[in-house]
Amino acid sequence: MDNVILIGMPGCGKSTVGVVLAKLLGYDFLDVDLLIQRKYGARLQRLIDLYGNQKFSDMEAETICELSCRETVVATGGSAALHPVGLAAMKRLGTVVYLQHPCEEIVRRVPNLKSRGITLEQGQTLEDLYRYRVPFYEAAADLTVNAAHFSVEETALAVQSALRRAENP
């Protein structure tokens, strides 16, 4: 196994689980959202407000394409798996793991839609976004971990276990 790429809805725990998973695996950790903010000198919501959803998605994909890492857990943004170029780069980097949660849990975890840095269309709800994105996550994933109601540590352990099973079927 080279790298582990975490995908899923905003609020599913990609960043928090990613840090714990990296420690379990003895890997480095990268957060694509933080890389984007550093690269473009602004918070995610500001970039979305300034450039729009499509340009932000292109910026995200470009940042993923620039990654060069080994033995790293990479937490992507919630929209990363929707961009074909970004997705192809993720697949080249390593094993793509979808952190799956029910919609109700995501809604509970993400109360700050206006400032969170989520690429929502005008009038779109988080539930709408969930229904739209889930098929992309499912298609992109090499592994899916149902993390519903798990703690951060339990989710990281479940991902580690799924990775081991995939390596030794």
Side-chain angles (χ1 to χ4, degrees):
M1 169 179 36
D2 193 11
N3 299 299
V4 178
I5 317 303
L6 300 178
I7 64 170
M9 284 294 291
C12 75
K14 297 177 297 289
S15 297
T16 52
V17 169
V19 169
V20 175
L21 180 62
K23 288 179 183 179
L24 284 173
L25 298 174
Y27 279 19
D28 291 328
F29 174 74
L30 283 175
D31 188 313
V32 171
D33 286 347
L34 295 178
L35 293 175
I36 292 167
Q37 288 182 162
R38 187 174 309 124
K39 180 178 178 177
Y40 294 100
R43 296 184 55 119
L44 299 179
Q45 190 60 55
R46 178 84 173 128
L47 294 170
I48 292 166
D49 292 344
L50 282 172
Y51 300 109
N53 291 341
Q54 186 55 55
K55 175 65 176 164
F56 177 80
S57 179
D58 293 343
M59 294 160 74
E60 182 177 50
E62 179 182 301
T63 302
I64 293 168
C65 287
E66 292 169 353
L67 292 179
S68 177
C69 53
R70 294 190 46 81
E71 296 186 341
T72 301
V73 175
V74 179
T76 64
S79 59
L82 282 68
H83 197 290
V85 173
L87 178 57
M90 288 188 283
K91 292 292 214 176
R92 283 191 303 273
L93 280 171
T95 303
V96 178
V97 179
Y98 169 33
L99 298 182
Q100 183 183 55
H101 287 272
C103 185
E104 309 77 49
E105 191 172 341
I106 296 298
V107 169
R108 182 183 58 76
R109 289 176 172 211
V110 184
N112 53 340
L113 285 181
K114 299 285 188 221
S115 62
R116 179 72 186 244
I118 300 172
T119 55
L120 286 167
E121 297 297 332
Q122 186 72 22
Q124 191 176 37
T125 66
L126 192 54
E127 292 89 344
D128 297 333
L129 189 67
Y130 182 93
R131 282 189 296 277
Y132 175 73
R133 287 186 178 179
V134 163
F136 287 94
Y137 298 144
E138 291 171 345
D142 297 310
L143 299 171
T144 297
V145 173
N146 185 337
H149 314 296
F150 282 7
S151 69
V152 170
E153 292 77 15
E154 290 168 332
T155 303
L157 287 167
V159 172
Q160 181 185 38
S161 177
L163 290 165
R164 283 187 181 146
R165 283 192 309 274
E167 282 184 347
N168 306 304

